[in-house]
Amino acid sequence: MNSYIERVISDAQQKNSNQPEFLQALKEVLSSLEPIIDKDDKYEKNSILERMTEPERIIMFRVPWVDDNGKIQVNRGYRIQFSSLIGPYKGGLRFHPSVNLSVMKFLGFEQIFKNALTGLPIGGAKGGSDFNPKGKSDAEVMRFCQSFMTELYRHIGQDVDVPAGDIGVGGREIGYLFGQYKRIRNAYEGGVLTGKAICYGGSLARTEATGYGLLFYMREMLKQHNSSMEGKTVTISGSGNVAIYAAQKAFSMGAKVVAMSDSNGCIYDENGIDLDCIKEIKEVKRGRIKEYLDCHPNAKYFEKTGENSPIWEIKTDIALPCATQNELQLEDAKKLVANGVIAVGEGANMPTTLEATEYFLANKVLFAPAKAANAGGVATSAIEMTQNSIRYYYTFDEVEKKLDRIMTNIFHECKVAADEAGVSGNYVVGANIAAFKKLADAMIAQGLV
Ligand code: NDP
Ligand code: 2IT
C-alpha cells in the first residue's frame, strides 16, 4: 500500500484504538484512495488525509430526564461535527443503546463523503444518544427529546449544523426536538432540522427518499450491466424507514420482495411481502415483525439465534441490507453467493463488513456502497432545507424527480471514477475517490482549515 496512506492509518489506529467501527470506516476509505494519492503528491504535501480523518469538533453531553415512574434517568448525547468544508454540518441523529463514540465517529466520517457525492452544499455530521426508545411512552420520548435539545440547541442552527433522523429517530422525535428548539430560540428557524412533518415545514418525499434513492441507484447499476429490477427476487433486512420504502420502490419496479427482518428475526413470504401489513406493525403499532404471521399465517418466521441474521440464508437475486452496521458478514456473503445473488445494495450505513464486501467483489456480485446508494435521504434533506429557505413547497413529483436525477448522477460519478482508477465496476472505490476529490479540492482551496 502507498506509504502515506499506511502511515495515516497506523497513526489513526494508535490514536483511536478503542474505536473499531471508526477505524473500519477509515480503513475502507483510505485503502481505496491509492490510485489517486499515488498520482499526485499535493494530498500528502497538504496533509489532507490527516485533516480529513480528524473531526472538526466533538460534543458530548449529559441528558437527564424523568421516566413515567418519576425516576431520574441519565443518557449520553453526542454530536460529531466532522466537516464543514462544503456546507453546514449535516447528518442524522441515532437513538439506540449501541450508540457510542466509535459508532458516532464512523457515521460522521461516512457522512462527509456521502454528502459530497450528492453535489449539494452540505458538510458532514452525526449525533445521537444511547437512549433506547423501544418500549418508552410518547411522554417519555418527548421528555428525553426536550432534554437532549436543551443542550444541543447551542451547537446547531440552519446555517451551522442541521440534524435529521436515523435509527430510532423519525417524525415523532424530530417534532419534539423542533418544538423545543423553537421555544428556546424564540424564532422560527425552519431549516434547523430536516425530516419534519409536512404540516410545519417538512418536504414531501423525505420519508420515502432513502429507500427510493437506493432503488434508483440499483436501477442505474443494473442497467449499466444490462440488467434490471424487473422480475427479480429481493430480500431486505430491517423493517424501518429505509427498508419499507426500498421495498415499496422495488415492487413498483417489478421486483418481488420476499423477506424482511427486525433485530429479533425475519419473515419470508413467497407470495411477496404485504407492505401495508408491515407498515401497520412498524409505523403505527411499533410492534415486532413476527406479528406479520397474525395476518399471513402461511408466511414463515425465522428467529435470530446467533450473531448472524437468518435473512441472508434465503435464496435471492438481490440483497438490500437496510438495518445497521456489520449486519452482513463474510459467512453471510458466502451463503448469498452460493445461492446465486447478482447484486447487493447497501441501504444502511456500513452494513457489510470489509471481508464480506471483498468476497462479493471477488465473486463478481454488483455492489452498491452505502455512501453512494443511501445518499438519497440526505440529498432530500438538502431539498427540504432549500424549500425552508425560499419559504415554498415542491410537489411530491418535483422532489422525486430531483432525487432521481441526483441518484443517477451519483451512480455515473462512481462509474467514471472507477473507470479512471482502472477498476471498472468497483463502485466502492469509485464512490470513495469521487467524493474524496471534491473534499480535497475544497480543503486545499480554503487554506489551513
Ligand atoms: P429505523 O429506526 O427506522 O429502522 C431500523 C431497522 O433496523 C429496524 O427494523 C431495526 O429493528 C433494525 N435494526 C436496528 N438496529 C439493529 C441491530 N443492532 N441489529 C439488527 N437490526 C437492527 O432506522 P432507518 O431505517 O432510518 O435506518 C436504517 C439504516 O439506514 C441505518 O444504518 C441508518 O444509518 C441508515 N440510513 C438511514 C437514512 C434515513 O434517512 N433514515 C439515510 C441513510 C442511511 P428493531 O426494530 O428490532 O430494532
Ligand atoms: O445516514 C444518513 O444519511 C441519514 N441518516 C440522513 C441524514 C440527513 O441529514 O438527512
Side-chain angles (χ1 to χ4, degrees), residues 100-339:
N100 58 37
L101 188 58
S102 173
V103 169
M104 291 284 100
K105 280 180 70 183
F106 116 66
L107 288 163
F109 182 67
E110 288 281 298
Q111 198 80 41
I112 318 171
F113 293 83
K114 181 192 310 194
N115 293 6
L117 284 173
T118 67
L120 301 169
I122 39 179
K126 200 77 186 190
S129 174
D130 57 2
F131 173 73
N132 184 0
K134 256 186 227 149
K136 302 288 190 299
S137 69
D138 280 355
E140 287 177 322
V141 171
M142 180 176 77
R143 288 195 293 273
F144 175 82
C145 288
Q146 291 184 336
S147 180
F148 185 85
M149 187 52 89
T150 302
E151 173 58 33
L152 187 69
Y153 89 94
R154 68 190 82 243
H155 308 290
I156 63 175
Q158 59 187 2
D159 297 315
V160 180
D161 182 352
V162 181
D166 193 81
I167 293 177
V169 177
R172 173 181 63 172
E173 291 74 20
I174 294 293
Y176 295 151
L177 291 164
F178 185 78
Q180 184 71 353
Y181 181 85
K182 184 167 65 66
R183 274 169 98 191
I184 298 173
R185 282 283 205 230
N186 192 33
Y188 203 99
E189 224 185 283
V192 70
L193 289 166
T194 59
K196 300 181 293 295
I198 307 304
C199 56
Y200 68 92
S203 174
L204 288 162
R206 174 62 187 90
T207 304
E208 293 81 357
T210 310
Y212 278 22
L214 171 64
L215 268 292
F216 294 145
Y217 191 98
M218 294 303 286
R219 180 197 63 207
E220 291 304 306
M221 182 173 78
L222 289 165
K223 203 194 300 173
Q224 183 64 36
H225 299 267
N226 303 314
S227 185
S228 76
M229 292 297 298
E230 179 80 39
K232 300 291 188 300
T233 298
V234 180
T235 54
I236 303 181
S237 64
S239 45
N241 173 265
V242 179
I244 287 176
Y245 294 96
Q248 187 159 304
K249 193 48 98 180
F251 276 120
S252 80
M253 289 180 173
K256 183 161 86 168
V257 181
V258 295
M260 293 181 80
S261 66
D262 63 18
S263 54
N264 295 114
C266 84
I267 47 151
Y268 172 73
D269 189 338
E270 63 178 353
N271 300 317
I273 298 284
D274 170 2
L275 257 193
D276 288 337
C277 173
I278 296 280
K279 282 188 190 175
E280 177 67 23
I281 296 168
K282 290 295 176 181
E283 294 184 339
V284 182
K285 295 200 295 197
R286 297 180 190 272
R288 307 310 302 159
I289 203 152
K290 196 179 181 177
E291 295 163 35
Y292 186 86
L293 298 194
D294 297 343
C295 38
H296 295 279
N298 293 332
K300 292 197 176 82
Y301 177 71
F302 303 100
E303 185 90 13
K304 181 176 171 191
T305 47
E307 220 204 302
N308 297 73
S309 171
I311 197 167
W312 310 127
E313 295 179 24
I314 296 167
K315 182 174 168 56
T316 188
D317 299 316
I318 291 171
L320 303 176
C322 294
T324 193
Q325 63 272 7
N326 292 327
E327 55 163 316
L328 203 171
Q329 305 179 358
L330 181 59
E331 50 188 294
D332 304 315
K334 286 183 176 165
K335 285 179 202 150
L336 283 163
V337 170
N339 279 327

Side-chain angles (χ1 to χ4, degrees), residues 370-405:
K371 60 174 77 63
N374 75 26
V378 77
T380 307
S381 279
I383 299 172
E384 181 172 333
M385 290 162 72
T386 305
Q387 294 169 84
N388 297 144
S389 296
I390 61 174
R391 296 178 195 279
Y392 190 65
Y393 290 93
Y394 299 142
T395 63
F396 191 98
D397 198 44
E398 283 172 319
V399 179
E400 192 181 6
K401 283 210 170 81
K402 288 180 201 296
L403 169 64
D404 192 341
R405 205 173 317 131

